Amino acid sequence: MSEKVNFKYKDFLIENVLKLKSDKPEKEVVAQLNLIQRKTIDKPVITVSINSSSIISGVQKLKTDIEEYLVDRNIDAEIIPVGSLGLSSLEPVISIQLPGKTRLFYKKVLPENVISILDGSFNNFIQEENILGQLKNDIQDAWEQVPFLDELAYFQNQQRLILKNCGFINPESIEEYIASGGYKSFYKVISKNTPEEVCDIIEKSMLRGRGGEGYLTGKKWKIAYKTPSDQKYLICNAGESDPGAFMERLLIESDPHKVVEGIAISAYAIGVKKAYIYIESEYDLAIERVKNAIAQAKEFGLLGHDILESGYNLEIIIKKGAGAYVCGEETALISSLEGKRGKPHSKPPYPATKGLYNQPTVVNNIETLVNVPIIIEKGIEWYKSVGTKDSKGTKVFSISGKVEYTGLVEIEMGTKLRDVIFRVAGGIKNGKRFKAVHIGGPSGGSLTEKHLDTLIDYESIMLTGVSLGSSGMVVLDEDNCIIDMVKYFMNFMQKESCGICIPCREGTRRMHEILENISKRPKDENGHTTLQRFKGVMQLESLAEVLKDTSMCGLGKKASNPVLSTLKWFRDEYEEHIFERNCEAGVCQELRTFEIDVDVCNGCTLCAKKCPTGAIFGTVKNVHFIVQDKCIGCGICFETCKFSAIISK
Amino acid sequence: MLIDIEVNNKKIQAKKGETILETLNRNGIKVPTLCRMDGFTPTGACRMCVVEAEGKSGLIPSCSYQIEEPIKIRTHSPRVIQARKMLVELLLSNHPDDCLYCASNGNCQLQDLAVELNIRERRISGEKTKASLDQSSPGIVRDPAKCILCGRCVRVCEEVMNVFTFDFYKRGNKTAIATSMNKDLNFSNCINCGQCLLVCPTGALYEKTNLDIVQQMLNNTDVTVIAQYSPSISVSIADELGLRSGKDINGVLNAVLRRIGFNKVFDTSFAADVAIFEQSAELADRIKNDENLPMMSSCCPGWIKYMEQSHPDMIDHISTTKSPQQILGTLIKSYFAQREDISPEKIFSISIMPCTAKKFEAQREEMTHKGISDIDVVLTTRELLKLIKLYGVDAQSLDEEMPDIPFNTRSSAGKMVSVTGGVAEGVARTLNYHLTGKELPNIKITKLRGFKDRKEVSVKIGKQEIGIAVVSGLKSANKLIAEIREGKSDIHFIEIMACPGGCINGGGQAFNNDEKTLKARSKTIYDLDDKEAINVAHKNSNLISLYNEFLGEQLSEKCIKLLHTKYSKRDVLL
Amino acid sequence: MPDLDEILEKYPFVQRDNLIPVLQDIQDEFGYLSEEAIVKVGKYLNLPTVKIYGLATFYHHFRFIAKGKYHIKICNGTSCHVNSNILIINELEKKLGIKDEEITKDGLFSLEETTCMAACGEGPVMAVNDKYFTNLTIEKVAEIIDSYKSMEE
């Protein structure tokens, strides 16, 4: 990407697309645009989805294979990188388009099957097991007996506004982005609207912050806009940090220009000349692509000094995060940008009046910002027609866990949880039973089967005690243990707390210990651990409440959400662990009980020697047995037995 | 502007922009705090001060929440008390159970809170953070196991002292306070000033105690055990002994020390006069030769270490005169030993100082000759109080006594060194004598008095304008040094004390060191200057005979050998 | 390998907000932050080293010991967790005798737990240097480690 790109269509795109007055472009312009967008092509085009997921699935090797294939067979075709369709579990995805035909998408393309897929495509024969679908194209011939992508359940049940371009366009090409309508909203705004008007539009659209409490974005902007200061800042928070979410990463990788445009419009509205994108340093590809996007936008005069003769100046700076979940909290993020430990501050004062370097600062989540160009493009009324009464627009999730398709999904606010899991994501893998869905990562909560008809919007989700905080959605099946899940989050939180305020630092630690204690058998029936176990259980709820009540920042306040929500909806499972000392899913290893299979045991005595509590009795060459009262369930015998004579229950 | 707010169903008035806590305190409502310190911007970290506010979903920290509009608050509702209790219980769940053996037993804010909130059982328990005791420093012991991470030490060290020894380290349940690269304190840039242990709410920071060896020596009839006490001590322990706060109990103190069993008792003020005398002679020389100006005072060992590590290129500016403690230590083991015909090895010389850095100073290499230390042990004021209790001495019943011969006279200038500005004032008076042979017409230099962190004055001595600056708290010292580096040249002498306010607020003082107490201490000292007849070091009669009998002229070869020292660059992580 | 000065020269302005980027660049180059580097950065940015150390220990990307010849990153994201990655982590720890953020005595392997790597459909996932391994099982992990070990023999 580092080589200097020659922008063939730069002037054409600026004059005939961005600055176009009428809604209907000339015929020649349309033809040109079709060419840039590859709706019409004169030689075969192969797109390869290059993103974090596909890289792990080996796409880089695949790309070289394709290149070699073309060279070997002397085929003149273009290879174009694209982002992610959202179907991470089907990566690597490639598309092949022949002149005159629609674009065909293939899934799970691997070095072992790529040659036959390519062979087939170039010879009008479709390898069925890898076919994903074809992209509708009104000017080209469709393939027979190949489903259209938008007819697939995965796409059909989504409403893709934010992800519209993802996986289809080349994320490294500003020309393609502009040809598909990009930066038009930005140009419209800076040439026609005052900043205050833009704030108004966003406020009236009822766009709510996607990151946290769902505060009205336009309202927040106005506070910052109206606070007098020479220097104001906009920070685009793309530091996911939720250990199970990857939405922001894939979004930037797939459509970085949309992010840049979102930031640019918002910055204009707030009166910001310097905007930051805060992004995890591990997101190499995302950083590379957004860096490229910024450079290209500058080249096109869309960033920098006197943007498209509007008199408006804007600089976007990339700041790499160094790994801290708490930096998702806006005041901690600001500390981090100032070159300090990511320590949150008490609010008020809110960043909108006193933020980065004590100046008015708006911190917006990336998903919030990419909504902005859409609202400008489609208008307030249209945007308000999407979603529910109080939650407008769409919501993007990164869905993972035990579902058929893991990846990104974008659904209209008000969609049922059930539809997301069972229609879009294809339901539970391997025919297992649905158990729970966890929304919002370590600050979120888990919902049960009876919540599947809950609508996904701020209010309905809030009613279940869970907040629509992050974009992570993890689905659990019958093989997962809720206690284990909560323990995982609590462990994460005790490590990620900034360590400053007492409730969060000490509270998460104790709550994690309590969960540890109930997911293992007490070491000694009369001993300290039994007492600890019961004392802990009694405290779990009140600890969680105090944490919520007294913590300094959102991280601490929400750290107990997984506990509180599961105590509410999965109380049975807690009781099963506490009273029956049983983990139905078999995940809590230290609750297991062991027995010796009398038919298999040959009396080698190894298990008895290794048992740390002396719970195994038996003599040489005779069958051994386990005294359950003494057993602590450590499983050492199970691992030691060479004859599989120990049975775990 | 006043705002009507409601607290516990009662209407009170708050000033707009003031914090809830300030309003509450003005109205006599107490709310517990742990991380808050007077004069520092609140961080809202410990959450102890939370209150319930109508319309807010969570509890809000009263220390940092500014009142901008009418608000209804409940400061001691069941919900609030339950939360505070839980917070303390959480802290206790990660705190050692050894209050009885703790250095801060009886002087611990965590203990107080546990009592206040009626915590009588350990409801929350779990694994405790493992941390090892750091006893490496000669002055300060750090017990991270008792640290509750309030961050006060970090802030004092950073915001007042500008030394930056501590910071928060790691995060989450592994959060701790650490020195740079997690080194032991004696390898760090700590200057041993002890301001951190004055603000530590628990027993995580305390002085390294030397009481045991002192007791041992007191029982050893073979050894002459000698005590000297800093000029500031006599004005800073009255209240601890049941007498009026700030009262000068110099005479009683002599009696007390003799009751404890010290064979000889000396007042370091005498040596302070010697230090002033030598230092001003040195300054007079430097002014005549125009070299190494401005000269910097050398009484404060914290400051000396700071210069050696942070500004080694400027150590020639520091006066080479030893500190009063070390001067008296040297004189005891030379002049006094000779006079009394005691072998220096048979003398055990202890010094009672309001300072933890003095412990460091006493064991500096330069302060030992042929294996004999000038000072054997340094005790802090706090340790002295323990010693008094231990030996059951009732100060109130004792009559005043004089210090021992041959160091039993002092000028009021020697006493004044315990307050910021005191050394400078004393030096100015004697400098005038060295340069002109006359007395300063107006010896009271009021511009050098008071608790401002930086004071500057120009004094006319002979025909010359002599610039004198006084700073206390190393933050202002640092600023002044920066100015000098940038070319500020109107200053001839700088008095620097590491602790804000000088030795009366030293890191070794008793813990009640609020502003009112400090003012009382300072006033007592300046009152002595008004009352007493001998106000200049060079008129101290014992000093005059010391020079006549033993040392010769000021800055004589013998003086240089015994009363002066040298400094060298120190490599520590800054 | 460029020396520290070259990295520092890229930041002509002595500003605190350059601290994290400077440290990131140093770590990218040297693999970890040495005491020498911290002292040098402190002098350059006019910051006490304790502040740099305090900051660097806060963020988990910064390390203070070198990486092993084979740096293993194991995903501990939520999805990998629900796909029982704990078994894989245990196996790695057992096989290598080290835990998270540690390095083997021979300097060959170092271990790091990371958050989601965005390959949730293929979990558990790990990476050895730049090579990814997906759908891990205990047996597969043992094989992978053994193959690296045998390469060294």
Side-chain angles (χ1 to χ4, degrees):
Chain A
M1 216 176 325
S2 48
E3 74 257 32
K4 184 87 184 155
V5 191
N6 197 7
F7 296 109
K8 248 197 315 200
Y9 305 110
K10 181 176 158 185
D11 296 334
F12 164 78
L13 286 169
I14 292 175
E15 295 309 322
N16 296 300
V17 181
L18 286 184
K19 296 190 176 173
L20 184 71
K21 297 276 178 340
S22 76
D23 284 343
K24 270 202 127 169
E26 311 263 322
K27 235 181 173 174
E28 307 88 79
V29 174
V30 175
Q32 187 69 271
L33 287 177
N34 281 341
L35 214 61
I36 300 172
Q37 292 183 76
R38 293 188 310 274
K39 279 188 180 160
T40 48
I41 50 171
D42 46 18
K43 58 180 174 186
V45 174
I46 300 173
T47 68
V48 181
S49 68
I50 297 180
N51 58 64
S52 304
S53 311
S54 67
I55 287 172
I56 293 179
S57 307
V59 77
Q60 264 144 342
K61 165 88 173 53
L62 186 77
K63 190 170 167 238
T64 354
D65 287 351
I66 297 174
E67 280 160 358
E68 278 168 15
Y69 175 94
L70 296 176
V71 172
D72 287 351
R73 286 163 183 74
N74 221 349
I75 298 172
D76 183 21
E78 227 184 322
I79 300 182
I80 307 264
V82 293
S84 163
L85 277 181
L87 284 158
S88 298
S89 50
L90 300 183
E91 296 284 5
V93 171
I94 67 169
S95 83
I96 303 170
Q97 187 181 7
L98 302 176
K101 296 290 266 182
T102 57
R103 230 169 127 179
L104 277 176
F105 281 80
Y106 290 93
K107 62 188 177 186
K108 295 207 168 181
V109 184
L110 299 166
E112 43 276 29
N113 58 20
V114 65
I115 292 184
S116 56
I117 289 172
L118 292 171
D119 275 347
S121 301
F122 286 115
N123 296 302
N124 286 337
F125 166 77
I126 291 165
Q127 179 108 354
E128 269 179 35
E129 59 183 291
N130 292 91
I131 194 76
L132 186 63
Q134 58 179 326
L135 181 64
K136 252 192 198 138
N137 183 337
D138 41 15
I139 46 181
Q140 307 293 1
D141 294 340
W143 294 81
E144 273 171 34
Q145 295 197 322
V146 174
F148 286 104
L149 284 180
D150 54 15
E151 289 167 355
L152 300 176
Y154 170 75
F155 286 100
Q156 215 174 25
N157 293 290
Q158 296 190 53
Q159 176 151 14
R160 293 199 156 203
L161 304 177
I162 289 164
L163 303 179
K164 193 183 113 204
N165 292 334
C166 295
F168 296 110
I169 71 164
N170 178 355
E172 292 163 15
S173 162
I174 190 173
E175 293 177 322
E176 216 178 310
Y177 180 72
I178 297 175
S180 15
Y183 288 117
K184 260 190 117 153
S185 301
F186 180 44
Y187 181 71
K188 187 166 138 196
V189 157
I190 54 169
S191 57
K192 291 194 188 123
N193 296 101
T194 64
E196 206 163 359
E197 281 167 10
V198 184
C199 287
D200 266 341
I201 294 171
I202 299 303
E203 190 177 354
K204 282 186 190 140
S205 77
M206 292 172 68
L207 172 66
R208 296 168 69 172
R210 296 292 192 252
E213 304 298 322
Y215 195 76
L216 275 179
T217 304
K219 224 170 170 178
K220 185 156 146 182
W221 287 7
K222 270 191 182 163
I223 297 172
Y225 176 75
K226 285 186 177 150
T227 308
S229 163
D230 294 340
Q231 184 67 271
K232 297 175 189 178
Y233 299 99
L234 169 68
I235 302 170
C236 167
N237 184 358
E240 203 115 36
S241 49
D242 172 348
F246 45 86
M247 182 276 271
E248 298 170 358
R249 188 176 194 168
L250 288 189
L251 177 61
I252 299 173
E253 286 173 0
S254 306
D255 199 3
H257 280 289
K258 174 93 93 215
V259 177
V260 172
E261 189 181 3
I263 293 173
I265 299 171
S266 314
Y268 175 74
I270 306 160
V272 161
K273 296 185 197 84
K274 220 176 191 178
Y276 292 91
I277 301 184
Y278 178 82
I279 180 167
E280 279 306 318
S281 65
E282 284 185 333
Y283 294 6
D284 298 334
L285 185 62
I287 292 173
E288 199 179 297
R289 286 198 172 142
V290 76
K291 212 185 238 172
N292 176 61
I294 291 171
Q296 291 184 344
K298 248 186 213 158
E299 180 70 33
F300 271 64
L302 290 163
L303 287 177
H305 185 71
D306 191 14
I307 295 167
L308 299 180
E309 299 100 45
S310 65
Y312 176 58
N313 311 327
L314 175 66
E315 188 189 358
I316 300 181
I317 299 160
I318 299 171
K319 281 277 185 179
K320 290 190 278 180
Y325 179 72
V326 66
C327 289
E329 204 280 339
E330 52 183 359
T331 58
L333 172 54
I334 287 168
S335 298
S336 180
L337 288 186
E338 289 174 349
K340 299 175 187 158
R341 289 168 62 90
K343 183 182 117 36
H345 295 281
S346 287
K347 294 190 269 191
Y350 290 91
T353 54
K354 201 176 166 197
L356 189 64
Y357 309 115
N358 292 326
Q359 302 303 318
T361 304
V362 170
V363 182
N364 272 147
N365 170 282
I366 189 167
E367 192 185 342
T368 316
L369 293 178
V370 287
N371 267 295
V372 172
I374 298 167
I375 296 168
I376 301 293
E377 183 195 337
K378 308 256 183 172
I380 300 170
E381 289 316 313
W382 182 89
Y383 188 79
K384 279 172 76 175
S385 71
V386 184
T388 62
K389 182 172 154 280
D390 293 308
S391 305
K392 299 297 179 196
T394 60
K395 178 81 191 92
V396 183
F397 288 101
S398 63
I399 187 162
S400 63
K402 301 293 183 68
V403 282
E404 198 58 45
Y405 306 122
T406 66
L408 297 189
V409 301
E410 181 179 2
I411 43 103
E412 183 176 358
M413 288 277 191
T415 305
K416 279 181 186 168
L417 210 41
R418 182 187 303 280
D419 291 342
V420 178
I421 297 168
F422 289 92
R423 291 196 163 167
V424 180
I428 308 297
K429 261 203 299 207
N430 306 328
K432 297 270 182 179
R433 197 167 48 80
F434 169 88
K435 179 173 198 169
V437 53
H438 186 92
I439 302 174
S443 311
S446 296
L447 297 177
T448 67
E449 199 156 4
K450 71 171 181 189
H451 298 104
L452 282 176
D453 289 317
T454 309
L455 306 184
I456 299 176
D457 63 55
Y458 289 97
E459 278 68 28
S460 313
I461 289 283
M462 205 90 85
L463 282 179
T464 63
V466 172
S467 79
L468 209 51
S470 96
S471 62
M473 185 184 279
V474 181
V475 178
L476 309 186
D477 69 8
E478 53 191 298
D479 291 342
N480 292 116
C481 165
I482 281 292
I483 313 292
D484 176 70
M485 176 84 178
V486 177
K487 202 166 68 182
Y488 166 81
F489 284 128
M490 230 49 216
N491 186 31
F492 180 81
M493 278 304 194
Q494 66 158 348
K495 287 187 195 160
E496 293 295 331
S497 156
C498 85
I500 296 298
C501 80
I502 300 167
C504 179
R505 179 184 72 232
E506 306 290 344
T508 52
R509 180 178 181 180
R510 295 303 166 221
M511 280 161 72
H512 178 249
E513 277 178 348
I514 292 167
L515 293 164
E516 283 261 282
N517 282 339
I518 62 177
S519 54
K520 64 181 173 206
R521 293 207 272 172
K523 289 213 171 77
D524 169 4
E525 288 296 334
N526 308 314
H528 194 54
T529 49
T530 308
L531 187 67
Q532 262 181 355
R533 199 165 180 260
F534 278 93
K535 276 202 320 193
V537 173
M538 283 153 60
Q539 247 121 53
L540 195 56
E541 207 152 7
S542 57
L543 257 173
E545 291 293 348
V546 167
L547 218 71
K548 204 171 168 179
D549 236 8
T550 61
S551 291
M552 173 147 67
C553 78
L555 182 140
K557 286 186 202 295
K558 291 179 188 164
S560 47
N561 279 356
V563 170
L564 287 172
S565 74
T566 51
L567 270 175
K568 201 159 157 193
W569 307 122
F570 296 89
R571 211 166 182 106
D572 295 353
E573 208 164 327
Y574 275 88
E575 285 170 3
E576 185 200 336
H577 279 71
I578 296 166
F579 300 115
E580 288 159 39
R581 292 179 185 158
N582 183 31
C583 174
E584 191 63 39
V587 175
C588 298
Q589 300 238 337
E590 290 180 71
L591 281 179
R592 290 174 302 176
T593 54
F594 296 94
E595 268 172 29
I596 295 180
D597 188 339
V598 288
D599 296 331
V600 183
C601 179
N602 61 5
C604 75
T605 74
L606 197 60
C607 58
K609 279 180 193 147
K610 292 265 173 159
C611 177
T613 55
I616 304 179
F617 291 89
T619 49
V620 188
K621 292 196 177 161
N622 286 315
V623 172
H624 283 49
F625 59 95
I626 300 175
V627 177
Q628 293 301 339
D629 282 355
K630 283 195 161 189
C631 174
I632 55 167
C634 68
I636 290 177
C637 54
F638 183 71
E639 283 161 29
T640 346
C641 182
K642 289 175 185 158
F643 310 99
S644 307
I646 313 250
I647 312 159
S648 158
K649 283 191 174 174
Chain B
M1 200 179 104
L2 292 176
I3 300 175
D4 286 318
I5 66 166
E6 203 180 294
V7 178
N8 305 334
N9 299 324
K10 244 182 76 186
K11 284 212 162 50
I12 61 174
Q13 283 190 319
K15 292 174 192 153
K16 190 174 172 6
E18 108 185 310
T19 64
I20 296 178
L21 189 71
E22 283 164 340
T23 310
L24 294 178
N25 286 347
R26 262 195 311 108
N27 286 281
I29 301 167
K30 239 189 86 187
V31 164
T33 58
L34 260 184
C35 65
R36 202 192 82 91
M37 289 190 287
D38 277 333
F40 288 78
T41 44
T43 59
C46 73
R47 319 307 284 176
M48 282 308 303
C49 66
V50 285
V51 295
E52 199 175 339
E54 204 177 272
K56 301 266 174 198
S57 60
L59 301 175
I60 56 172
S62 59
C63 72
S64 65
Y65 193 100
Q66 290 176 340
I67 300 175
E68 300 289 349
E69 51 196 29
I71 186 169
K72 281 185 186 173
I73 301 165
R74 309 232 297 154
T75 61
H76 289 81
S77 65
R79 181 174 161 211
V80 171
I81 292 197
Q82 163 65 19
R84 286 187 196 139
K85 192 167 175 175
M86 184 74 100
L87 293 177
V88 175
E89 286 180 297
L90 277 170
L91 279 179
L92 293 176
S93 73
N94 190 25
H95 201 83
D97 272 329
D98 63 350
C99 288
L100 283 177
Y101 310 100
C102 178
S104 295
N105 188 16
N107 185 40
C108 170
Q109 290 175 31
L110 186 61
Q111 211 175 36
D112 294 347
L113 279 176
V115 173
E116 245 173 65
L117 292 163
N118 197 26
I119 294 171
R120 303 296 298 275
E121 61 166 330
R122 185 181 281 284
R123 289 197 306 157
I124 306 171
S125 54
E127 203 184 321
K128 290 173 187 174
T129 308
K130 288 186 188 73
S132 50
L133 197 65
D134 178 1
Q135 306 203 65
S136 63
S137 153
I140 294 168
V141 184
R142 221 162 73 78
D143 187 356
K146 299 209 173 113
C147 178
I148 56 166
L149 298 169
C150 65
R152 287 184 183 181
C153 54
V154 177
R155 298 193 70 190
V156 163
C157 195
E158 179 175 330
E159 293 174 33
V160 179
M161 304 310 287
N162 245 220
V163 175
F164 296 94
T165 298
F166 299 124
D167 195 9
F168 284 92
Y169 162 72
K170 292 202 172 171
R171 64 158 185 238
N173 56 3
K174 294 209 175 88
T175 311
I177 304 288
T179 62
S180 186
M181 302 310 287
N182 220 350
K183 303 226 184 256
D184 280 347
L185 217 44
N186 63 333
F187 292 115
S188 77
N189 62 348
C190 170
I191 59 161
N192 303 295
C193 71
Q195 287 298 313
C196 55
L197 55 94
L198 286 185
V199 295
C200 180
T202 68
L205 284 164
Y206 54 96
E207 78 258 286
K208 181 170 249 174
T209 180
N210 299 97
L211 280 177
D212 285 353
I213 175 115
V214 172
Q215 281 176 64
Q216 240 174 62
M217 287 302 166
L218 284 170
N219 289 335
N220 190 339
T221 48
D222 209 23
V223 178
T224 309
V225 188
I226 300 176
Q228 61 164 303
Y229 54 85
S230 145
S232 67
I233 307 262
S234 69
V235 298
S236 52
I237 57 167
D239 41 356
E240 297 280 337
L241 300 177
L243 305 162
R244 180 174 59 78
S245 175
K247 184 177 186 247
D248 181 38
I249 56 157
N250 219 331
V252 175
L253 185 58
N254 292 326
V256 165
L257 291 170
R258 289 204 179 95
R259 293 299 173 283
I260 289 172
F262 289 103
N263 304 104
K264 298 281 173 193
V265 175
F266 299 127
D267 181 348
T268 316
S269 309
F270 168 80
D273 277 341
V274 178
I276 291 170
F277 190 67
E278 280 292 313
Q279 222 173 111
S280 36
E282 209 185 329
L283 178 58
D285 268 13
R286 291 197 193 185
I287 291 172
K288 277 182 217 152
N289 304 328
D290 193 22
E291 61 180 15
N292 291 328
L293 289 172
M295 187 177 94
M296 296 166 179
S297 67
S298 59
C299 338
C300 174
W303 161 245
I304 303 278
K305 181 167 186 258
Y306 183 75
M307 279 299 279
E308 288 178 326
Q309 63 196 27
S310 298
H311 303 289
D313 57 318
M314 287 176 85
I315 48 179
D316 288 342
H317 287 265
I318 311 171
S319 157
T320 58
T321 309
K322 284 182 182 173
S323 73
Q325 159 179 291
Q326 294 305 131
I327 286 178
L328 194 54
T330 314
L331 291 175
I332 287 170
K333 292 200 178 173
S334 56
Y335 174 63
F336 171 81
Q338 231 172 52
R339 229 180 102 111
E340 305 280 316
D341 195 21
I342 312 172
S343 152
E345 286 95 4
K346 294 281 177 199
I347 294 176
F348 190 77
S349 176
I350 77 138
S351 134
I352 301 161
M353 293 285 143
C355 182
T356 39
K358 288 282 175 192
K359 291 187 185 239
F360 165 80
E361 185 186 32
Q363 52 91 65
R364 281 177 71 111
E365 211 186 323
E366 301 87 3
M367 304 300 175
T368 300
H369 303 285
K370 294 177 192 159
I372 300 172
S373 300
D374 291 347
I375 295 288
D376 293 296
V377 151
V378 178
L379 298 181
T380 61
T381 315
R382 294 185 293 268
E383 286 173 283
L384 168 69
L385 290 167
K386 281 184 193 154
L387 204 63
I388 296 173
K389 272 192 189 146
L390 183 71
Y391 282 83
V393 182
D394 176 14
Q396 294 182 54
S397 67
L398 294 178
D399 288 333
E400 302 197 348
E401 293 175 11
M402 283 290 282
D404 280 296
I405 300 171
F407 309 127
N408 61 350
T409 59
R410 60 152 180 80
S411 73
S412 59
K415 196 81 186 162
M416 274 154 56
V417 298
S418 46
V419 191
T420 168
V423 175
E425 206 172 330
V427 165
R429 292 174 188 176
T430 303
L431 176 69
N432 192 77
Y433 168 77
H434 281 311
L435 284 176
T436 65
K438 295 180 195 141
E439 296 304 323
L440 207 59
N442 192 357
I443 59 163
K444 199 167 163 180
I445 312 175
T446 42
K447 276 190 179 163
L448 292 179
R449 299 185 178 187
F451 285 116
K452 254 174 67 189
D453 56 354
R454 165 129 170 221
K455 293 164 277 188
E456 250 182 83
V457 68
S458 171
V459 182
K460 197 156 186 181
I461 294 182
K463 288 193 179 90
Q464 241 177 319
E465 284 293 334
I466 302 294
I468 298 178
V470 168
V471 285
S472 73
L474 289 190
K475 188 177 186 181
S476 9
N478 235 348
K479 224 154 105 202
L480 180 58
I481 296 234
E483 286 171 29
I484 290 167
R485 283 189 188 280
E486 274 160 24
K488 182 177 172 72
S489 62
D490 55 343
I491 303 277
H492 296 83
F493 179 72
I494 309 174
E495 176 211 295
I496 300 174
M497 296 198 187
C499 297
C503 305
I504 51 168
N505 184 29
Q509 291 284 29
F511 285 113
N512 54 343
N513 43 11
D514 51 73
E515 208 185 317
K516 207 177 122 203
T517 317
L518 295 185
K519 281 197 171 141
R521 290 174 188 170
S522 152
K523 183 173 180 300
T524 313
I525 284 177
Y526 285 117
D527 282 351
L528 292 178
D529 192 44
D530 288 341
K531 274 195 298 206
E532 292 179 2
I534 309 291
N535 307 105
V536 291
H538 52 276
K539 284 190 184 164
N540 178 339
S541 57
N542 279 349
L543 178 140
I544 296 169
S545 36
L546 168 74
Y547 274 85
N548 287 340
E549 287 170 25
F550 185 68
L551 291 171
E553 285 276 290
Q554 70 266 23
L555 302 179
S556 70
E557 211 176 294
K558 203 165 190 178
C559 286
I560 298 292
K561 188 172 159 244
L562 292 174
L563 307 184
H564 290 255
T565 182
K566 57 183 189 314
Y567 315 106
S568 44
K569 181 178 191 298
R570 243 168 231 281
D571 262 327
V572 294
L573 280 180
L574 291 178
Chain C
M1 193 181 267
D3 61 7
L4 278 170
D5 293 312
E6 277 176 47
I7 293 172
L8 294 176
E9 273 164 22
K10 286 197 285 175
Y11 297 89
F13 301 108
V14 176
Q15 286 168 190
R16 173 118 188 206
D17 51 13
N18 279 336
L19 178 55
I20 294 177
V22 167
L23 295 179
Q24 281 169 336
D25 284 0
I26 292 174
Q27 178 153 313
D28 284 347
E29 206 53 57
F30 297 91
Y32 71 108
L33 302 176
S34 62
E35 183 173 321
E36 184 206 344
I38 287 178
V39 170
K40 204 146 192 179
V41 172
K43 285 219 175 89
Y44 188 76
L45 291 180
N46 203 9
L47 279 172
T49 54
V50 75
K51 287 279 145 200
I52 302 176
Y53 187 60
L55 171 126
T57 53
F58 182 87
Y59 296 101
H60 73 213
H61 288 173
F62 293 118
R63 34 191 307 131
F64 302 91
I65 50 165
K67 282 180 184 166
K69 183 172 175 191
Y70 303 111
H71 184 63
I72 301 173
K73 284 186 181 177
I74 169 94
C75 177
N76 194 16
T78 319
S79 190
C80 280
H81 177 81
V82 300
N83 283 310
S84 308
N85 74 338
I86 186 70
L87 301 174
I88 309 300
I89 295 177
N90 287 346
E91 181 66 17
L92 277 173
E93 290 178 350
K94 209 165 89 188
K95 224 47 218 158
L96 299 171
I98 52 171
K99 288 195 174 333
D100 184 24
E101 289 177 36
E102 289 177 355
I103 178 167
T104 53
K105 277 197 188 119
D106 56 11
L108 278 182
F109 297 96
S110 49
L111 192 59
E112 183 187 340
E113 286 175 20
T114 69
T115 54
C116 188
M117 289 181 172
C120 301
E122 320 239 5
V125 184
M126 74 173 193
V128 181
N129 295 341
D130 286 334
K131 198 167 159 44
Y132 290 96
F133 299 91
T134 54
N135 296 309
L136 293 170
T137 59
I138 294 181
E139 294 75 28
K140 223 165 154 182
V141 170
E143 253 169 56
I144 294 164
I145 299 299
D146 286 339
S147 76
Y148 278 100
K149 278 185 177 164
S150 63
M151 268 160 61
E152 289 301 317
E153 275 160 11

